[in-house]
Amino acid sequence: MYRRIITILFLFGSLSLHSTSAGFKWQKALPESQGMSSAKLDAMKDILAKKGTKSFLVIRHDKIVYEWYASGHGPKKRHYTASLAKALVGGTSIMLALNDGLISTDDLVCKYIPQWKDHPQKSKITIRHLATHSSGIENAEQDGMPHMKIPGWKGDFWRKKPDPFTVARDKAPVIFTPGAKYDYSNPGMGMLAYAVTASLKSTPQSDILTLLKERIMKHIGVDDKEWSIGYGRGYKVDDMVLYANWGGGNFTARAVASIGRLMLHKGSWDGKQLVKPEWINECVKYAGTPTPDRSEDTHSPGSGLCWWTNFDGVWENVPRDAFAGAGAGHQILLIVPSLDLIMVRNGAQMGDTKWGNTFWEYVEEYLFDKLMDAVTDSEPVYYDGALIKGAILAPQSSIIVKAEGSDNWPLTWADDDNIYTTYGDGWGFEPKVEKKLSLGFAKVIGNPSNFSGVNIRSSTGEHIGDGKSGKKASGILMVDNVLYMWVRNANNNGEHSQLAWSEDHSCTWQWAEWKFEELGYCCFLNFGKNYSDARDNYVYTYSPNTSHAYNETDEVVLARVPERQIKNKNAYEFFKGISENGNPNWTADISQRKAVFALKGGCNRLDVVYNSPLKRYLMTMRSRAVVGGLNQFSIYEAPEPWGPWSQVYYTDPISKTNGWPGEVQHFPSKWISTDGKTLYMVSAAFDAFSVQKVILIINSKITK
């Protein structure tokens, strides 16, 4: 990893220095230098070229890694935005009004449109409703007819007769209670432009065009020739000049990408904060209003304020922090903060909806999924949502190694202040047991720099058998003075998980008569000494979403159970996604489980612990096998047990430098410092109980 960074600095250092002194300018780089595949981007372009694409632009780590234009098009030629303007114009303008304290998301719109004050329904519409298509204002579409042929007020809206804003304000009806459901509405978006412009009265920029030009475009290096809005004109209404925000934009691909970069960098450009980060976040996070009817388009995202957001993972292969703008004809701007990635696509619609395909289905198939497949690294990119932005592992020479010849080592902090653990395929600590065990028990006494391990013999718990043929522990937890253990390979062939428990500190074990046949590597979420830091009265269990402990998979799933019913299989609930109000949904039906973490082909051995001082959840993950049979290892953090997860650390899979952490890693909560920044990682490095110091790097911009 460090070698690659040095190479990039060598190749592009002089360009970067020049651009810093003269202001940011786009620079190009080979895809491979920024963790992407040229071959896969070429293949993606070839498909897009056949799908009517005019421009295709990919930016990674602030470098243009791919830029292609169809014949007759180019980097200086503008392309229509259609409804991508809702994000570029509507989203940006409301963001600035929010930033300046001129407007609030839950303001009643009649504060800015006085004609609505006495209307029984329109008087209840808020700014949030308009910005998320939940206002109830009817859309100006009719049976797929061309806009100019639609009769009545709907046709007048598109014919701009006398102007679209007056029509939307006075003639567009409200067809359901504001906030009750989602229904796409161009007139509703027009009323947002009306309200935002009304909030700008008596400010230096009294209309949206001037606002965007003076506050955004001239600062991010976008020339007037590179963009236009509002179908090329404004409308004088109620002593205001109003510009369309629902469509009517024309932007170059690079101009679109520049707005994307501003959003990605949380409102900062060349060291100047054009918009406060909190208002960037407010616009691109899920706004909490009803989501679209996914029976029609199963890939339809939820809404931020004029942006589309992947908050619940509806774009399955895209990180959940992603957000996008989109317009008819598949004009798309995608921004993925966790990958430091921007993509712009302009052109004609990529498929024919008469065959049953839908707008977002094409976007996923031809754009999002293929773009994600072209990302060749998962090296962390840190953004403002993550409290922990990195980790420093002590060098390999400092690792303390004991119990050589044994591995696994799930562990928990018990009521007697000792760490209880299990080992697999080995003989435990000195003095070693006489026969190799696939499942053995021990306790660890002391601090990370001076500890000892003591084997615990158990005729009711020990098992023998090599590899997948022998039962092994994948998780252990003490709750109310009772040790609970998840055991993998429960069918003695690498599959299924079984529960066991001990009331005498591992000396004797009782076994559940049931198993989770769907989950192959269950582990507990540890909450401090004897579960004393628990957030609620539940015990949480994670597993890769596969029945087999030795298979890589794409997802991690989560279950919970009341802490007094851990032994009762019927008491378990499974995470099934995030609700519209941002809370987790749970189901007793294991077949309805959903992922809390996703990494394509990269989920295998894992462990999760709560870092109480930092109030963050830490997940360690052994990911997919790579070059030479070595494994990738990552650390992730999240503010909740269900995420969202942000990558903190990632090993270089090419070599074993910086202290190779072995195949299974655990952070004992007992060995977390009082400030949460220093931890000790127990792993199976060197096929032993290996202890390595880890220092967490904290994002100073975040208040925990």
Side-chain angles (χ1 to χ4, degrees), residues 414-486:
D415 56 343
D416 60 3
D417 205 35
N418 294 316
I419 293 172
Y420 282 78
T421 185
T422 75
Y423 57 89
D425 289 342
W427 299 267
F429 292 93
E430 297 286 352
K432 295 183 177 182
V433 300
E434 69 284 354
K435 187 173 184 178
K436 184 178 181 181
L437 299 174
S438 68
L439 176 56
F441 303 91
K443 66 179 177 181
V444 177
I445 304 166
N447 59 56
S449 60
N450 183 23
F451 67 90
S452 60
V454 178
N455 295 328
I456 301 171
R457 304 309 303 268
S458 173
S459 61
T460 53
E462 292 176 359
H463 279 78
I464 59 173
D466 291 330
K468 65 182 67 173
S469 66
K471 290 184 177 180
K472 296 174 174 63
S474 53
I476 190 168
L477 178 71
M478 175 166 273
V479 181
D480 292 335
N481 310 321
V482 177
L483 286 171
Y484 295 90
M485 173 175 61
W486 282 117

Side-chain angles (χ1 to χ4, degrees), residues 96 98 141 170 188 246 286 289 377 380 404 572 588 600 637 666:
L96 288 168
L98 289 166
E141 303 286 346
D170 299 339
W246 61 88
Y286 171 54
T289 53
D377 67 6
E404 295 182 63
Y572 283 76
K600 191 173 182 180
E637 69 106 273
H666 313 273

Side-chain angles (χ1 to χ4, degrees), residues 222-238:
V222 178
D223 188 83
D224 290 351
K225 296 178 181 179
E226 298 179 72
W227 70 292
S228 67
I229 67 170
Y231 301 97
R233 61 163 297 184
Y235 293 86
K236 190 71 176 291
V237 180
D238 293 341

Side-chain angles (χ1 to χ4, degrees), residues 552-622:
E552 260 68 34
T553 187
D554 299 340
E555 298 176 338
V556 172
V557 294
L558 174 64
R560 71 175 186 177
V561 64
E563 61 183 52
R564 297 188 182 277
Q565 298 188 57
I566 301 173
K567 304 170 189 176
N568 180 7
K569 183 179 183 181
N570 295 327
Y572 283 76
E573 297 177 313
F574 302 87
F575 176 82
K576 61 174 292 188
I578 300 295
S579 67
E580 292 180 354
N581 61 12
N583 293 323
N585 285 327
W586 301 93
T587 176
D589 183 355
I590 193 171
S591 69
Q592 299 296 312
R593 65 192 184 277
K594 300 290 185 182
V596 292
F597 174 85
L599 177 62
K600 191 173 182 180
C603 301
N604 190 227
R605 307 293 168 81
L606 75 156
D607 193 61
V608 186
V609 67
Y610 181 60
N611 185 323
S612 183
L614 295 182
K615 296 181 173 59
R616 277 306 200 263
Y617 299 84
L618 296 175
M619 177 169 64
T620 56
M621 175 75 72
R622 186 196 81 168

